[in-house]
Amino acid sequence: MALVRPTGRRSAAGPFFLEGADMHRILAFDQSGLTGFCHGVPGDQPDLIINGTFKVAGSLTAPKRAKKLYRFVRDLIEANEIGEVVLEEPILPKVTSFAAVSSLAGYAMAISWAADDFGIACSMIRMQTWRSEFEVPTAAPRKIKGATERRKWVKDQTIARCRRLGFNPSDDNAADAIGIWSCIANRRLAKERAPTFDIFSDARL
């Protein structure tokens, strides 16, 4: 069955991934008011990896934003034969409001519920973990001042890394999703290609 691809952006061809893996399609999210997404099969070339950003935020209440994201995730899963979902583990600020916490939890639960509807495995990964494996910094150098400037520097580094690997992120949200996807895809490839041994092939009794 042909894949029906929702609005997203393909990447420029690049040499990052190896061919020949027989694996399921992974869908990754960097969830927020502007949710980055990325999906593809580990082993595919970057030009076959889809990425984009879905606008969740607006004048909607937290429950309606969660429902909106839930419907979008369901559509992505159903249209693209997704076999696994992964999202960034929510980071709770030290100083925040209940409304903000509700939104963060709501986005994560919406994605998890959508995956569960299809019986698909859904996991979370810490930001520090995927950034380390994707080889991008988690924080800006001290010489860069201001929260906005520091956050932009980190985002720019992620976009640059994506482009060096042959991806073409639609924006910084999609770039984060590509990083998350790449981390999990490389883990699955490593496991798939790990040597296996038959313990009975040379048994001596």
Side-chain angles (χ1 to χ4, degrees), residues 27 73-82 85 114-115 118 120:
L27 173 60
V73 176
R74 275 190 56 94
D75 289 345
L76 274 180
I77 292 172
E78 191 168 25
N80 294 281
E81 299 178 339
I82 301 299
V85 175
F118 293 90
I120 296 172

Side-chain angles (χ1 to χ4, degrees), residues 35 37 50 54 56 65 72 74 91 93 99 102 125 130 169 171 177:
T35 292
F37 67 90
I50 303 298
F54 178 69
V56 184
R65 288 197 298 270
F72 174 72
R74 275 190 56 94
I91 301 173
S102 297
I125 185 169
W130 75 257
D171 62 12

